[in-house]
Amino acid sequence: MINRPLYLDRIRPFIGKPIIKVVTGVRRSGKSTLLRLVQAELKNKGVSDDLMLDINLEAYSNREFKNPDALHAYIAEWIGETGGSEELHYLFLDEIQEVEAWEKLIPGLQVEFNIDVYLTGSNAHFLSSEFATYLSGRYVEFEVFPFSFSEFMRLRAEDGCVQTPDEAFDVYRVLGGFPFLAYLDYEQDPCREYLLSIYDTVVLKDMIERESIKDSALLGELLPFLIANIGHTFSGRSVERMLEGENISISIGSVLKYIQVACDANLLYRAPRVDVMSKKVFKNQEKYYLADHGIREAVYGNNDRNIDQVLENIVFVELIRYGWKVSVGDKPIEPSKNGSASKEIDFVATKGSRKLFIQVCYLLAEESTIAREFAPLEDLRSDFPKYVLSMDKVDRSQNGIIHKDIRTFLFEADELLK
């Protein structure tokens, strides 16, 4: 069980405090393992096993607890048998959305008992609506993602696999960071099958079943299209037109609804387009990225042939993993001397009073590529850090713009992004 200090450091200040801790994220990203890590930390502090109750609500053996009355009775009995309300108890409930009317049960637990509650859920929909309504001001959310590249490297080292960063990144950029892949020794065919099973489960349980989607065939056509085109600008109308070209009929309303459902399931993430000068948010031409780029390899393939898109996805997820809000930068500029009139900045990331401007590309192999990637940042009047990230080994930093090998940037994320 690999330690994940990025998430533990965030949770630690809230341990033992009367606020509900909610861990969200795409399926199989390590939410349950994070709860085990919290339990291990409690044990190290002297908390006995009797004072901790861990229930996986998706397990068949726990099916009776999908009834909130049965779950409440079991919790009350456990507390009564292990010190009563004098002792602080720790409750861990995996996949809380499986419990009927859970949103009415959970708020009362901390009122009725001396209890510290930790929940996991596979999609963010219940947080954005139901949870916010019933637990306003009484919960804190921690979103978990599959392994970052640095976590991936640490796991490989702990498993005794000796690889250079370049060799490890060759694997990571194709298959991604879902923790279970380590058990498959990163063999490509079994890993693709496993990743496809995650995708199928998310679509079936977190999208079709939860949202009562009737036209699952249409959703099945749209999602692979979106996944193939991560990092490309979208509007509802543009998606409608492109699908029409494939003889697939879908309304703009359905496109927007299904995209939102995919975002609620923590499968896709939206990067809005923002004017970097006026801070105006545009209502179309957004970009979307995947929770983990390995899903793209399983569903669509071609990660290495579409490496620019994959690298963008990796950087985007790394930024939001560290709590940055990420937008696509839109800034009208005058054509530069070299003829480039590009105005898009791949990522404008903000975190409190901090801001980063980032361009991502595969290789800076030609002068025209260097001009295209650097020009939007050179014309940007800002004292905040500006980065161009690529897989080049040669440092091409210039005019106050920092160029980094993307692998180095990912390794230094704790220093640069925390």
Side-chain angles (χ1 to χ4, degrees), residues 203-222:
V203 172
L204 176 64
K205 293 187 69 68
D206 294 338
M207 299 177 68
I208 294 174
E209 287 185 7
R210 179 170 178 82
E211 301 295 336
S212 300
I213 292 176
K214 295 177 181 177
D215 197 344
S216 58
L218 192 55
L219 179 66
E221 296 283 356
L222 174 61

Side-chain angles (χ1 to χ4, degrees), residues 59-183:
Y60 183 76
S61 59
N62 293 325
R63 62 192 180 281
E64 65 181 292
F65 299 135
K66 293 184 180 183
N67 180 302
D69 294 331
L71 180 58
H72 179 271
Y74 187 75
I75 292 169
E77 182 180 359
W78 162 63
I79 290 176
E81 293 176 347
T82 54
S85 295
E86 296 301 316
E87 293 272 10
L88 178 61
H89 289 66
Y90 300 85
L91 177 65
F92 301 86
L93 299 175
D94 253 333
E95 305 298 352
I96 186 61
Q97 74 275 1
E98 296 294 322
V99 179
E100 299 171 15
W102 62 268
E103 67 276 9
K104 297 179 182 177
L105 169 68
I106 296 302
L109 290 177
Q110 289 187 315
V111 174
E112 189 173 355
F113 306 115
N114 186 16
I115 192 170
D116 191 20
V117 180
Y118 300 77
L119 311 175
T120 75
S122 290
N123 61 67
H125 178 73
F126 72 93
L127 283 174
S128 63
S129 56
E130 300 154 20
F131 217 88
T133 299
Y134 286 95
L135 282 185
S136 179
R138 290 183 286 175
Y139 77 92
V140 59
E141 178 190 359
F142 307 94
E143 187 168 11
V144 175
F145 293 89
F147 287 153
S148 66
F149 180 53
S150 60
E151 287 178 315
F152 174 86
M153 281 288 293
R154 183 151 46 89
L155 177 66
R156 297 294 274 163
E158 290 179 6
D159 287 344
C161 179
V162 179
Q163 287 185 315
T164 66
D166 289 3
E167 291 170 336
F169 197 70
D170 286 345
V171 177
Y172 181 78
R173 72 171 185 256
V174 174
L175 297 176
F178 276 98
F180 187 81
L181 299 186
Y183 292 101

Side-chain angles (χ1 to χ4, degrees), residues 357-375:
F357 300 96
I358 298 176
Q359 294 284 83
V360 183
C361 67
Y362 174 35
L363 291 172
L364 297 170
E366 300 177 357
E367 288 300 320
S368 60
T369 307
I370 296 172
R372 184 186 70 235
E373 300 299 333
F374 278 80

Side-chain angles (χ1 to χ4, degrees), residues 144-367:
V144 175
F145 293 89
F147 287 153
S148 66
F149 180 53
S150 60
E151 287 178 315
F152 174 86
M153 281 288 293
R154 183 151 46 89
L155 177 66
R156 297 294 274 163
E158 290 179 6
D159 287 344
C161 179
V162 179
Q163 287 185 315
T164 66
D166 289 3
E167 291 170 336
F169 197 70
D170 286 345
V171 177
Y172 181 78
R173 72 171 185 256
V174 174
L175 297 176
F178 276 98
F180 187 81
L181 299 186
Y183 292 101
L184 302 174
D185 200 29
Y186 295 96
E187 294 289 336
Q188 291 206 3
D189 288 343
C191 286
R192 287 189 181 101
E193 289 181 24
Y194 174 74
L195 291 167
L196 195 57
S197 75
I198 293 176
Y199 170 76
D200 289 340
T201 303
V202 170
V203 172
L204 176 64
K205 293 187 69 68
D206 294 338
M207 299 177 68
I208 294 174
E209 287 185 7
R210 179 170 178 82
E211 301 295 336
S212 300
I213 292 176
K214 295 177 181 177
D215 197 344
S216 58
L218 192 55
L219 179 66
E221 296 283 356
L222 174 61
L223 279 178
F225 175 81
L226 294 173
I227 288 170
N229 288 280
I230 55 171
H232 291 170
T233 54
F234 283 116
S235 67
R237 180 57 183 151
S238 67
V239 174
E240 181 190 37
R241 285 190 188 123
M242 284 186 278
L243 289 175
E244 283 176 351
E246 302 293 326
N247 295 317
I248 299 169
S249 178
I250 185 172
S251 68
I252 294 176
S254 293
V255 169
L256 297 177
K257 174 188 174 181
Y258 291 160
I259 289 176
Q260 185 57 51
V261 169
C263 291
D264 288 341
N266 298 112
L267 180 65
L268 292 178
Y269 289 80
R270 177 184 291 107
R273 182 174 293 275
V274 177
D275 188 306
V276 296
M277 304 302 292
S278 68
K279 299 182 181 179
K280 175 184 176 182
V281 178
F282 298 104
K283 293 184 178 180
N284 54 25
Q285 297 304 308
E286 302 164 316
K287 290 188 177 183
Y288 291 88
Y289 296 92
L290 277 164
D292 184 89
H293 55 284
I295 292 177
R296 185 183 190 275
E297 177 67 23
V299 174
Y300 178 71
N302 293 333
N303 269 4
D304 261 352
R305 277 185 279 176
N306 303 130
I307 193 168
D308 287 271
Q309 290 173 257
V310 173
L311 295 178
E312 264 194 49
N313 202 103
I314 291 171
V315 173
F316 175 85
V317 173
E318 192 78 353
L319 290 166
I320 61 175
R321 188 196 323 275
Y322 278 87
W324 292 76
K325 293 182 179 180
V326 185
S327 304
V328 179
D330 198 294
K331 177 183 176 293
I333 61 174
E334 295 297 326
S336 56
K337 293 178 182 179
N338 53 38
S340 172
S342 173
K343 65 178 181 177
E344 181 176 286
I345 299 171
D346 288 335
F347 300 127
V348 179
T350 59
K351 187 176 183 181
S353 60
R354 300 163 66 191
K355 184 176 287 189
L356 300 174
F357 300 96
I358 298 176
Q359 294 284 83
V360 183
C361 67
Y362 174 35
L363 291 172
L364 297 170
E366 300 177 357
E367 288 300 320

Side-chain angles (χ1 to χ4, degrees), residues 392-403:
D392 298 273
K393 298 289 188 180
V394 177
D395 186 349
R396 297 184 181 276
S397 299
Q398 57 184 272
N399 301 326
I401 299 168
I402 304 165
H403 171 240

